[in-house]
Amino acid sequence: MKKTRVFFLSRDVCMVASSAVASSKVFVATSLVARRRRADSSAGSKNRSRMTTNASSASSSSFQMGNDTLRIDFELHRENRLRLAQAMEEKKKKSNAMKRNVVLLESGKQTQRYGTDNEPLFRQESYFHWLFGCRESDCFGALDVEQKKAVLFVPRLPDEYIVWMGKPLSKEELAKKYKVEEVRYTDELEAYLQEEGDIAVHVLSGTNTDSGLPTLKANVPSLSKIEVDESILFEEITLLRTFKTKREQEVLEYASKISSQAHIAAMKSLKPGTMEYQLEAAFLHHIYNQGGMRFSSYPSICASGSNAAILHYGHSGAPNDKECKAGELVLMDMGGEYHCMCADITTTVPVSGKFTPDQKIFYDGVLQAHKDVLANIKPGAIWTDLHLLAERRILEMLQKLNVINESSSMEEMLENRVCAVFMPHGLGHLLGIDTHDVGGYGLRNSRDRILKPGLKSCRTAKALEEHNVMTVEPGCYFVDSLIDDVDMSENVKKCINFDTIDDKFRGFGGVRIEDNLVVTKDGCTSWTNVPRETDEIEKVMSGELIWS
């Protein structure tokens, strides 16, 4: 039987120690580890992430932040390794490949802030996390596909490490913790590959269709018997990531549960005079204090008034620094991350605690779009068809407010892409280890991107399948640059009542409503639990209704 093996490789640590280094007291496999050997002159940076753990986590094959947080058995990642092994075996059978196979991937690397020794809190590279759940940086991993044997490679740390960072786990403790069959040091990688003999090495090579950036490609040690293949692994592992196991769904549901509670905490703290960043602070405090979530899934968006028309407000140049004023709406798009699993929830609420009549019509129109999409999600539903369904409900609402002329027919507006002026983003996206999770386009079960306004922003056009986890986030906004676009076609202009916009909705901002859900056998289940109806929101904000 020919063997196939999967490895996870860090580019910076694939240089193998020379014989001179091998005879020295300490192997230094990365420049990062080498820097730590100068700890006596570095004043001991406090924010480093390596292999330190306490006694309780060392003896447990699970991740948990505290007794009141979700316990995650590392069987989750062992199950993913078995899934990948099966997919690789099936691929091998179809190709009739005779050469033994090894797959190499790269783990995340600890970085430093520009030219300083400040080390940002490490977060694992997503593909490596999916397969191993490993919290440490600068590691390799290996999976023998036929034997289903996992090997984790970790840096050999210098003696000084323990002084600044604490005692690292032994190889035996790491093997027990991560449920892998063996742990070796990274400087042993070349010797390990040489032991495997004449092999084909498959590396991760592809493009993330959300960012347009390439995946991290492993730097394979140069050995005469190794043949490198970049054509297979990316699609196989990416496709698997689009189907969440029951264990993965449990973590994602937990992230949504805690994030829902945090949204309510922020909602209840809101009053005229609240600063946007205080809403963000209320959310972040809750997800960490109550949910053990040290990371948020993305920078929080707390956009009041006209800021709600800035789709990704809250970045460093617009840092949630406006005062929330009576009469405005606040759009809060925030999610917590637990064990690298993300939530992504949006609520929109009135600063004063009461919706005005126009705000209520506007909000209810977006909510109807949200409800109708949820009601139509099931395996086989085409994502872009659901986007168009949301557009129909939003256009109907805009006609009620006389923003769209009543004489404009629905089919005419859809054909001319009128709604893209008011909803320029897509309906939602895949959700998982990344907020905009992988697999939207470019796989064998994908559909091509539709290159029309609004639809081209959809992060997938796929037919939904059971166990896909998605966000649904219809929205409607008054974006000045889109409303005033000098290149707007006459077919779009004739549908819009610009006088109504100028008189009533300039600076209005917008509304977005976003749930996290899993596609089930005959529909979907939403994991988001926040007040959605206008009367529910008002009662929760006033304290009249306790939401649970």
Side-chain angles (χ1 to χ4, degrees):
M1 175 70 72
K2 302 297 184 182
K3 292 184 178 180
T4 303
R5 297 182 188 273
V6 179
F7 288 79
F8 283 71
L9 168 64
S10 171
R11 181 176 300 155
D12 286 352
V13 294
C14 63
M15 296 301 293
V16 179
S18 66
S19 59
V21 175
S23 63
S24 68
K25 181 179 179 181
V26 176
F27 285 84
V28 181
T30 67
S31 59
L32 177 61
V33 173
R35 285 194 294 272
R36 290 200 170 105
R37 298 192 70 183
R38 302 193 295 268
D40 57 335
S41 62
S42 68
S45 174
K46 297 180 179 179
N47 197 25
R48 298 176 178 173
S49 171
R50 297 295 286 177
M51 288 182 290
T52 305
T53 186
N54 58 39
S56 60
S57 61
S59 61
S60 173
S61 298
S62 63
F63 171 84
Q64 186 176 28
M65 287 294 286
N67 291 335
D68 295 328
T69 64
L70 180 66
R71 179 183 174 277
I72 302 167
D73 195 308
F74 279 102
E75 187 68 22
L76 181 156
H77 302 284
R78 182 177 176 276
E79 183 178 356
N80 284 342
R81 292 195 292 271
L82 295 176
R83 295 169 67 202
L84 180 59
Q86 181 180 356
M88 294 298 292
E89 284 187 303
E90 291 175 357
K91 193 75 174 181
K92 182 180 176 181
K93 289 176 183 177
K94 290 179 181 179
S95 65
N96 295 316
M98 299 300 294
K99 203 167 188 177
R100 295 177 54 226
N101 296 275
V102 173
V103 178
L104 297 175
L105 291 183
E106 181 175 351
S107 81
K109 297 185 290 292
Q110 177 66 62
T111 60
Q112 291 175 285
R113 192 171 66 192
Y114 309 120
T116 74
D117 66 349
N118 183 301
E119 295 182 3
L121 187 63
F122 175 73
R123 196 272 195 187
Q124 186 58 268
E125 191 276 330
S126 295
Y127 283 100
F128 196 80
H129 175 81
W130 183 85
L131 204 61
F132 286 98
C134 180
R135 298 174 67 186
E136 290 75 29
S137 65
D138 301 280
C139 297
F140 306 156
L143 174 64
D144 183 314
V145 171
E146 280 77 24
Q147 296 182 16
K148 313 298 188 292
K149 177 184 177 182
V151 182
L152 184 65
F153 294 84
V154 300
R156 193 189 299 265
L157 298 171
D159 295 341
E160 293 88 345
Y161 179 89
I162 191 171
V163 177
W164 296 103
M165 309 301 291
K167 183 180 179 181
L169 294 178
S170 68
K171 292 188 294 182
E172 294 73 22
E173 289 171 326
L174 285 168
K176 179 180 178 182
K177 179 178 180 65
Y178 291 121
K179 288 194 171 181
V180 296
E181 284 69 32
E182 186 180 2
V183 173
R184 296 190 182 193
Y185 291 118
T186 53
D187 55 53
E188 299 172 318
L189 175 61
E190 183 170 344
Y192 183 83
L193 292 175
Q194 287 175 330
E195 293 169 8
E196 301 309 309
D198 188 16
I199 54 176
V201 177
H202 299 269
V203 297
L204 187 64
S205 180
T207 300
N208 184 297
T209 58
D210 288 300
S211 67
L213 298 174
T215 55
L216 227 52
K217 188 187 298 184
N219 185 7
V220 183
S222 298
L223 297 172
S224 59
K225 294 184 178 181
I226 287 181
E227 172 190 334
V228 178
D229 188 320
E230 301 179 3
S231 65
I232 297 175
L233 180 62
F234 175 77
E235 180 167 24
E236 296 308 313
I237 195 169
T238 302
L239 186 60
L240 287 172
R241 281 183 58 182
T242 67
F243 298 99
K244 273 55 177 183
T245 65
K246 293 299 183 183
R247 293 178 189 274
E248 289 175 316
Q249 290 178 34
E250 182 183 18
V251 186
L252 290 164
E253 182 177 8
Y254 175 78
S256 291
K257 170 188 171 183
I258 298 299
S259 297
S260 295
Q261 295 170 357
H263 266 271
I264 294 170
M267 189 185 303
K268 291 169 67 175
S269 74
L270 175 62
K271 60 182 182 298
T274 299
M275 300 298 294
E276 292 169 334
Y277 71 81
Q278 292 177 309
L279 299 173
E280 178 183 16
F283 178 87
L284 296 177
H285 172 76
H286 188 95
I287 63 171
Y288 200 2
N289 185 266
Q290 299 297 314
M293 298 181 183
R294 200 171 188 186
F295 289 95
S296 58
S297 303
Y298 49 90
S300 297
I301 300 169
C302 297
S304 63
S306 60
N307 287 341
I310 304 171
L311 300 184
H312 283 176
Y313 179 75
H315 56 84
S316 61
N320 295 326
D321 59 355
K322 177 183 169 296
E323 179 182 330
C324 303
K325 298 180 179 179
E328 295 179 332
L329 295 175
V330 175
L331 185 157
M332 296 182 288
D333 187 338
M334 304 181 285
E337 177 182 300
Y338 191 75
H339 194 54
C340 295
M341 296 287 187
C342 299
D344 183 1
I345 296 171
T346 306
T347 54
T348 307
V349 301
V351 174
S352 60
K354 291 286 185 180
F355 288 90
T356 67
D358 282 345
Q359 287 174 347
K360 188 177 187 305
I361 294 172
F362 195 88
Y363 180 94
D364 283 345
V366 177
L367 181 60
Q368 192 60 54
H370 185 265
K371 289 178 177 179
D372 287 0
V373 169
L374 292 181
N376 283 274
I377 286 180
K378 60 183 178 180
I382 306 300
W383 191 249
T384 45
D385 290 347
L386 295 170
H387 179 100
L388 292 172
L389 173 60
E391 286 191 350
R392 288 178 180 272
R393 299 299 171 261
I394 288 170
L395 289 167
E396 289 168 356
M397 172 269 292
L398 291 174
Q399 284 185 315
K400 287 181 182 179
L401 291 171
N402 198 33
V403 171
I404 298 293
N405 297 316
E406 290 185 1
S407 59
S408 301
S409 73
M410 182 61 66
E411 298 310 314
E412 174 190 19
M413 291 188 289
L414 292 173
E415 175 64 25
N416 292 317
R417 308 305 306 131
V418 173
C419 200
V421 176
F422 303 97
M423 181 179 159
H425 60 74
L427 176 64
H429 50 82
L430 291 154
L431 182 69
I433 297 175
D434 294 305
T435 307
H436 297 154
D437 212 21
V438 294
Y441 293 101
L443 304 178
R444 56 180 174 267
N445 65 343
S446 299
R447 297 162 62 93
D448 291 338
R449 189 185 295 269
I450 300 175
L451 299 178
K452 294 181 179 181
L455 289 167
K456 67 182 179 183
S457 297
C458 287
R459 297 184 182 274
T460 188
K462 76 189 304 290
L464 294 178
E465 298 173 88
E466 188 177 2
H467 305 309
N468 289 160
V469 172
M470 311 294 299
T471 70
V472 169
E473 49 182 304
C476 188
Y477 320 83
F478 292 98
V479 183
D480 287 344
S481 62
L482 297 179
I483 294 167
D484 300 331
D485 183 8
V486 296
D487 296 322
M488 185 183 293
S489 73
E490 291 301 320
N491 285 335
V492 174
K493 284 182 180 178
K494 69 180 184 181
C495 297
I496 300 174
N497 189 334
F498 293 96
D499 290 339
T500 299
I501 294 175
D502 290 337
D503 291 345
K504 300 178 68 175
F505 293 106
R506 287 282 183 179
F508 180 92
V511 168
R512 183 161 64 250
I513 300 172
E514 181 178 17
D515 272 25
N516 304 163
L517 59 90
V518 61
V519 181
T520 60
K521 183 178 180 179
D522 53 5
C524 72
T525 298
S526 174
W527 294 322
T528 304
N529 182 20
V530 295
R532 288 305 193 194
E533 302 292 341
T534 54
D535 63 328
E536 293 173 344
I537 292 171
E538 291 174 350
K539 289 177 180 178
V540 168
M541 293 183 71
S542 69
E544 183 181 348
L545 175 63
I546 304 301
W547 194 262
S548 60

